[in-house]
Every structure is written in structure tokens, then in C-alpha cells.
Amino acid sequence: GIKNPIRDMHHQDRWAIAVHEAGHAITAWVLTDHRLVHVSIVRYSGAGESLGHMLPIPVREQLVHSLQDYWHRLIIALAGRAAEILRFGHPLASAGSDITSAMHIARLLLHQGFWGTPLTTEEEGMRQTKELFGAALEEAQKLIRQFSREHEMLTTVLLEEEEFDHERVAQLLGRRPSIQIAMPSREVVA
């Protein structure tokens, strides 16, 4: 889309957006090998109501996705919300598209039977989706706590520069860590 920045945005709002997008960026950095081609706190036309975004691009075309891949996608989708909760004590209303994406991923995993048999009732599906959603949000918060210095650095740079690319993230964060995130047990969502 075309840059469509909000003029005279209050500093608190810019800070909240930077915290949110840095949450996505730090979890994508530690959980994937994707290129973070664009991290931004600038609104773009055609991007819906999004006030910022983080765009990860796989380094290779991947036709088959593992349970671990979907689990990481769910954690990354919720990482902006997790960062808001850690920083402000509560989520902000601006993360609607992230929540929609996270709910879609969670339902996909559950409906395809990744944790036991595929879902049979809507009530069972809602309960298990909420539990899986909660487990992923908790993992996102753990990662942001573990990499709090890096998260803070990305937040600060976003406030100063408003946008950056993969090379800038690599310059700021250095070598990617090798992180293993335990999958939730079936008991969590059973």
C-alpha cells in the first residue's frame, strides 16, 4: 500500500504500536528463519485499520507445514498482544486482526485433529480454541520476558526510525538464537 501516516499521533499511541510490533518481530526472530522484510509503525493505505505491521517472509517456499510451524505462527500472531499485556497490564483494542488470525490458526489445528480426534461440536471447539489460544499467549509472554532487552531495543528503534527491514533487525539483534518451544500437551486442550 501507500504510506498514509497519521499526523500528530500522540506519543503514547506511537509507543503502544511500537511495543506491539516489536513483540511480533522478536518472536518471529527467535522462532523462525523468516526474513523480517518490513517492521513498521506507519499506517499504509490498503492495510485495513492496521496502524503498524511486521511482515515475515519465509526464506524458502514451504509446501508442507508441521504442527511446530503452526504452533510458532500462533505464538507470533499473539506476541503483539502479549507485549501489550506485559508492558501495560492489559491488551489494547487495536489488535483485532491479530486475534482473528490467531483464532483461525487455533481452530485449524483443532479441526484437523492435531490434538487428538477432530472436533465434533461447536461448544467443544470454542472451549478448546480458548485453551490453545491461552497456551500460545502464555508462550509469547515467556519469550518476550526472556528477550526483554531485545524487545525494548526494537521498540526504541521503531519509535526513532518508524520502519526498518531485515538487515536492520539483524544489525540490532545479531545472531539468531536457537529456541525450542515445547508443544502444549494434549491435556491442555483436551
Side-chain angles (χ1 to χ4, degrees):
I2 299 169
K3 273 190 183 184
N4 186 17
I6 298 172
R7 302 289 175 214
D8 302 321
M9 183 186 289
H10 193 278
H11 176 74
Q12 287 294 105
D13 294 336
R14 287 181 78 244
W15 182 46
I17 296 165
V19 165
H20 180 98
E21 298 306 333
H24 289 307
I26 196 65
T27 54
W29 183 259
V30 301
L31 291 177
T32 73
D33 64 354
H34 295 4
R35 289 184 55 78
L36 308 185
V37 296
H38 198 218
V39 183
S40 174
I41 60 169
V42 177
R43 182 179 62 181
Y44 278 77
S45 296
E49 295 299 313
S50 178
L51 300 173
H53 67 270
M54 188 278 304
L55 179 60
I57 301 291
V59 295
R60 65 175 178 83
E61 184 177 15
Q62 190 174 357
L63 302 175
V64 178
H65 297 277
S66 70
L67 176 58
Q68 190 79 36
D69 294 333
Y70 283 114
W71 179 234
H72 288 170
R73 284 177 53 194
L74 184 57
I75 292 168
I76 293 164
L78 292 172
R81 185 179 185 92
E84 293 169 357
I85 292 168
L86 291 171
R87 178 63 68 150
F88 307 115
H90 55 84
L92 303 175
S94 63
S97 63
D98 293 339
I99 302 308
T100 301
S101 175
M103 292 299 276
H104 173 75
I105 295 166
R107 285 179 161 260
L108 175 79
L109 292 172
L110 294 169
H111 281 285
Q112 291 186 6
F114 277 109
W115 279 276
T117 57
L119 299 176
T120 55
T121 68
E122 185 64 24
E123 182 180 326
E124 177 188 12
M126 284 305 296
R127 180 182 62 77
Q128 290 188 4
T129 298
K130 287 178 184 177
E131 289 177 4
L132 185 57
F133 184 96
L137 184 63
E138 186 177 319
E139 286 297 337
Q141 289 177 322
K142 286 179 189 175
L143 281 173
I144 293 168
R145 278 191 209 100
Q146 182 178 350
F147 293 94
S148 61
R149 184 185 65 78
E150 292 84 352
H151 178 261
E152 183 65 32
M153 182 188 316
L154 290 181
T155 300
T156 300
V157 173
L158 271 173
L159 284 170
E160 293 169 358
E161 300 176 11
E162 293 188 332
E163 301 180 282
F164 48 76
D165 61 14
H166 182 82
E167 286 68 28
R168 183 71 168 122
V169 176
Q171 178 187 44
L172 292 167
L173 299 181
R175 188 177 163 147
R176 285 182 131 146
S178 176
I179 299 295
Q180 297 296 321
I181 300 292
M183 300 295 296
S185 67
R186 287 187 174 154
E187 290 73 33
V188 170
V189 292

